[in-house]
């Protein structure tokens, strides 16, 4: 039998191979396996469906409200810049930036998001997920409040840079938490629930902005009030997150010890575990060599070139011939449309068997129709243009489906975090490029930008279909291979209080194996 120190230096794969050659039971150090193994190892547990459903409801009640509120404020905060464009930031009595600088502020946000995305994901690997996100939210709130005092392009630049740095922890953190607490069948809907809060954020932002237009102040302009109000709300959310958001089901404060076991047993069907706080270089390398990683990256980059609509939407609607008050109120409809579209698409992706890619492609088809109508309807038909623009908002939904798809097709904690980082780097690349094609020379109809949107949406749809074909072929190949018994009997050693060392068998699902190492893993389509 090997010592614990030698076991700690080996990967799961190496340990199993070595012990197979010596005809001994494969043994692993506890740091090599998933944290869920500490709760379930050696236990013959039979999951009661009724109890599992009860625990899931309890998780929903404690996680979803906080996740939804934070995601709403995250989106509201980063789009305050776009809302401010019609509140005097660009053309008010004391405006400090021009259109070109405004576009660059949108790009700067995502350049810093891009530069800090990998460090943020490393922090999520090593640190408690909930606490690290809370710190980022707090810094985010302070940076947002500082916008109201900015008077030069450099000062706005610094504020946007800190927002970009901090956002890098939120979506990857939410993806990890969702995969920790929910089964693959449940993940698409849960991702949809917190992502559709982007629509709620648009409604909230529109109503707050409308209110700021009625504040009569000689000291602060309407856009400055907007920054202050949203910044204060975000600060409160940061405090709530620190005290109430859990780091994993293995230590969730609102679950009893028995419920924690049920929570991790529930997600055993994912074959992906909960988390492992040790960085595994072999999983990092595997992620870089996995074709689906780069398919998801390309999709994330190209699809988010079009996300510049979120910052430009107020200017687009104003370009149809509506005044500032009308544009601000009509912006609330954007949020309603987004909520409906995301809810319908993720519901379709959840209940349409193997239909994730198809649901997303259908949403893109509707968005392309909207962009074609915006480009072809006459300028005099401002109602038709407005409805065509609202139709194009369906383009937001496929990215939501992809986020859940990434989490449900990737296993191994280091690999999952690395994949999330690469996907979000693609997100940042696309968003950094997006604002640059909205130039003054294309106004007011923006024919060239809308053409670019149509092309990007069509390419994104093809990438999703290509990803589905690749995963389906990989599933078929694994079916032909038959069962792989390599990791069926793996043990950890635990020293009891009296000094006795006991062996405990660990379920394959909690060995922190990757989706490639575990040949019983099947990709959802």
């Amino acid at each position: 039998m090997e010592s614990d120190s030698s076991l700690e230096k080996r990967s799961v794969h190496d340990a199993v191979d070595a012990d197979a050659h010596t005809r001994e039971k494969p043994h692993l150090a506890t740091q090599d396996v998933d944290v869920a193994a500490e709760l379930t190892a050696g236990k013959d547990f039979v999951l009661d469906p009724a109890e599992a459903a009860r625990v899931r409801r309890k998780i929903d009640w404690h996680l979803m409200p906080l996740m939804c509120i934070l995601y709403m404020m995250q989106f509201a905060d980063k789009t305050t810049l776009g809302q401010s464009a019609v509140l005097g930031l660009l053309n008010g009595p004391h405006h400090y930036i021009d259109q070109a600088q405004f576009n660059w502020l949108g790009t700067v946000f995502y350049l810093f998001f891009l530069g800090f995305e990998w460090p943020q994901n490393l922090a999520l690997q090593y640190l408690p997920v909930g606490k690290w996100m809370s710190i980022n939210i707090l810094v985010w709130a302070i940076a947002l409040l500082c916008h109201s005092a900015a008077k030069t392009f450099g000062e706005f630049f610094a504020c946007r840079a800190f927002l970009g740095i901090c956002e890098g922890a939120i979506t990857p953190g939410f993806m990890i938490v969702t995969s920790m607490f929910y089964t693959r069948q449940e993940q698409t809907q849960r991702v949809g629930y917190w992502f559709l809060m982007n629509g709620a954020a648009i409604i909230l932002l529109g109503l707050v902005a409308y209110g700021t237009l009625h504040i009569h102040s000689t000291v602060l302009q309407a856009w400055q009030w907007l920054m202050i109000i949203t910044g204060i709300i975000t600060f409160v959310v940061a405090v709530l997150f620190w005290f109430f958001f859990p780091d994993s089901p293995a230590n969730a404060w609102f679950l009893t010890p028995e419920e924690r076991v049920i929570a991790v047993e529930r997600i055993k069907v994912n074959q992906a575990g909960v988390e492992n706080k040790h960085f595994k270089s072999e999983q990092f390398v595997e992620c870089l060599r996995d074709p689906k990683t780069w398919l998801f990256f390309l999709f994330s980059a190209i699809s988010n070139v079009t996300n510049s609509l979120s910052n430009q939407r107020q200017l687009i609607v104003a370009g149809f011939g509506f005044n500032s008050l009308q544009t601000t109120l009509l912006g609330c409809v954007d949020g309603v449309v987004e909520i409906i579209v995301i809810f319908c698409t993720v519901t379709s992706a959840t209940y349409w068997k193997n239909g994730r890619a198809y649901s997303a492609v259908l949403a893109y088809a509707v968005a392309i129709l909207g962009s074609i109508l915006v480009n072809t309807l006459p300028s005099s038909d401002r109602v038709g243009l407005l409805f065509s623009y609202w139709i194009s908002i369906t383009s937001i939904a496929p990215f939501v489906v992809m986020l859940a798809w990434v989490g449900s097709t990737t296993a191994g904690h280091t690999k999952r975090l690395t994949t999330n980082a690469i996907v979000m780097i693609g997100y940042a690349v696309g968003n950094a490029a997006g604002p640059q094609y909205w130039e003054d020379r294309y106004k007011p109809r923006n024919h060239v930008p809308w053409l670019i949107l149509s092309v990007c949406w069509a390419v994104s749809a093809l990438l999703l279909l290509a990803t589905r074909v690749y995963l389906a072929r990989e599933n078929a190949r694994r079916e032909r291979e038959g069962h792989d018994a390599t990791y069926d009997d793996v043990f950890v050693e635990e020293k009891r209080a009296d000094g006795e060392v006991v062996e405990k068998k660990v379920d394959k699902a909690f060995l922190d194996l990757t989706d490639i190492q575990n040949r019983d893993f099947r990709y959802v389509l």
Side-chain angles (χ1 to χ4, degrees):
M1 184 69 63
E2 298 186 39
S3 66
D4 284 344
S5 60
S6 65
L7 282 167
E8 290 172 0
K9 297 176 183 176
R10 304 185 304 177
S11 68
V12 174
H13 183 72
D14 293 337
V16 172
D17 280 351
D19 286 325
H21 288 309
T22 58
R23 298 178 182 274
E24 296 179 359
K25 297 177 182 177
H27 285 70
L28 295 172
T30 53
Q31 72 171 30
D32 290 324
V33 297
D34 195 272
V35 295
E38 298 177 26
L39 296 175
T40 61
K43 296 180 180 177
D44 187 15
F45 188 88
V46 178
L47 186 63
D48 179 7
E51 278 295 288
R54 182 184 64 81
V55 170
R56 186 197 65 208
R57 288 192 297 271
K58 191 172 184 180
I59 290 170
D60 278 339
W61 277 110
H62 285 85
L63 253 64
M64 284 295 113
L66 280 173
M67 294 177 81
C68 289
I69 291 170
L70 174 58
Y71 218 76
M72 178 179 70
M73 291 314 302
Q74 175 203 245
F75 190 80
D77 293 347
K78 70 180 178 182
T79 53
T80 48
L81 183 69
Q83 191 76 52
S84 297
V86 296
L87 296 180
L89 180 63
L90 289 180
N91 52 12
H94 303 290
H95 61 278
Y96 305 115
I97 58 174
D98 57 28
Q99 179 67 48
Q101 291 172 327
F102 174 83
N103 289 345
W104 269 108
L105 289 177
T107 296
V108 162
F109 177 97
Y110 289 105
L111 288 178
F112 277 85
F113 181 105
L114 173 64
F116 282 83
E117 184 57 28
W118 176 241
Q120 285 280 25
N121 274 269
L122 278 181
L124 290 170
Q125 169 94 55
Y126 291 112
L127 302 174
V129 175
K131 297 297 183 289
W132 181 245
M133 283 196 291
S134 301
I135 292 170
N136 278 275
I137 301 162
L138 180 63
V139 176
W140 176 291
I142 295 170
L144 189 63
L145 288 167
C146 288
H147 277 70
S148 62
K151 289 182 171 59
T152 67
F153 174 70
E155 291 171 352
F156 280 108
F157 183 105
C159 293
R160 299 299 292 179
F162 275 100
L163 289 187
I165 291 169
C166 294
E167 194 199 348
I170 307 304
T171 301
F174 274 22
M175 292 168 70
I176 285 296
V177 169
T178 304
S179 62
M180 284 181 186
F181 282 90
Y182 295 103
T183 67
R184 295 196 293 183
Q185 178 68 20
E186 298 161 352
Q187 285 172 24
T188 301
Q189 276 190 309
R190 268 57 182 193
V191 171
Y193 292 157
W194 50 258
F195 205 99
L196 63 77
M197 296 308 291
N198 286 0
I202 293 172
I203 298 171
L204 172 69
L205 206 60
L207 295 175
V208 173
Y210 183 76
T212 62
L213 287 170
H214 293 83
I215 297 176
H216 302 292
S217 171
T218 57
V219 179
L220 298 173
Q221 298 182 65
W223 67 267
Q224 291 171 308
W225 280 112
L226 180 68
M227 298 293 185
I228 291 171
I229 293 169
T230 51
I232 291 172
I233 297 172
T234 305
F235 185 89
V236 173
V237 173
V239 175
L240 291 174
F241 242 72
W242 178 269
F243 288 106
F244 296 110
F245 198 77
D247 298 309
S248 87
N251 59 14
W253 64 269
F254 56 85
L255 296 177
T256 66
E258 293 77 15
E259 289 172 338
R260 290 172 187 171
V261 174
I262 295 171
V264 298
E265 285 286 346
R266 257 182 25 86
I267 57 106
K268 186 163 68 175
V269 294
N270 295 349
Q271 292 290 308
V274 177
E275 68 172 344
N276 183 296
K277 287 300 183 184
H278 301 277
F279 184 83
K280 298 183 178 181
S281 57
E282 70 275 10
Q283 291 194 12
F284 174 80
V285 173
E286 180 183 307
C287 176
L288 297 181
R289 292 177 175 175
D290 192 338
K292 76 175 185 298
T293 301
W294 301 107
L295 286 168
F296 285 134
F297 168 81
L298 286 173
F299 171 82
S300 185
I302 295 172
S303 66
N304 278 289
V305 169
T306 68
N307 202 34
S308 53
L309 272 174
S310 63
N311 261 347
Q312 300 291 334
R313 60 188 184 84
Q314 297 289 67
L315 296 174
I316 291 170
V317 174
F320 293 157
F322 297 96
N323 62 36
S324 294
L325 278 175
Q326 291 170 332
T327 299
T328 301
L329 286 176
L330 287 171
C332 296
V333 181
D334 295 12
V336 175
V337 174
E338 190 166 320
I339 290 171
I340 294 171
V341 165
I342 292 176
F343 179 80
C344 291
T345 304
V346 298
T347 301
S348 170
T350 300
Y351 295 107
W352 185 351
K353 186 177 180 180
N354 298 327
R356 287 168 174 79
Y358 299 147
S359 297
V361 169
L362 183 61
Y364 273 137
V366 176
I368 292 171
L369 172 63
S371 67
I372 291 172
L373 289 173
V374 169
N375 254 349
T376 55
L377 287 174
S379 298
S380 58
D381 188 5
R382 66 176 189 170
V383 174
L385 289 169
L386 182 62
F387 274 86
S388 299
Y389 158 69
W390 283 334
I391 289 173
S392 72
I393 292 176
T394 56
S395 62
I396 191 68
F399 184 69
V400 184
V401 174
M402 188 276 299
L403 286 180
W405 208 7
V406 169
S408 57
T409 56
T410 310
H413 198 65
T414 298
K415 182 178 182 181
R416 194 157 51 192
L417 282 166
T418 306
T419 303
N420 289 350
I422 291 172
V423 167
M424 297 313 293
I425 286 171
Y427 168 85
V429 169
N431 276 287
Q436 299 307 312
Y437 56 81
W438 295 93
E439 299 181 15
D440 281 336
R441 58 179 170 156
Y442 299 134
K443 290 182 177 179
R445 289 298 303 273
N446 294 303
H447 288 298
V448 172
W450 281 102
L451 177 61
I452 293 172
L453 296 178
S454 298
V455 172
C456 288
W457 291 333
V459 173
S460 298
L462 291 175
L463 282 170
L464 286 176
L465 292 175
T467 303
R468 190 189 188 284
V469 169
Y470 171 76
L471 295 177
R473 288 181 176 178
E474 181 61 24
N475 281 346
R477 183 171 68 167
R478 295 186 184 195
E479 289 295 334
R480 292 193 296 269
E481 289 176 1
H483 176 67
D484 177 15
T486 305
Y487 303 100
D488 283 354
D489 295 296
V490 180
F491 297 79
V492 292
E493 292 183 345
E494 182 181 284
K495 183 178 289 188
R496 293 178 174 173
D498 59 4
E500 181 187 0
V501 177
V502 296
E503 293 180 342
K504 291 186 175 182
K505 184 178 177 180
V506 182
D507 192 282
K508 182 187 291 188
F510 300 133
L511 289 175
D512 195 36
L513 298 173
T514 68
D515 51 282
I516 291 180
Q517 289 174 330
N518 182 359
R519 305 309 291 175
D520 288 338
F521 188 97
R522 296 295 182 269
Y523 298 106
V524 295
L525 303 176

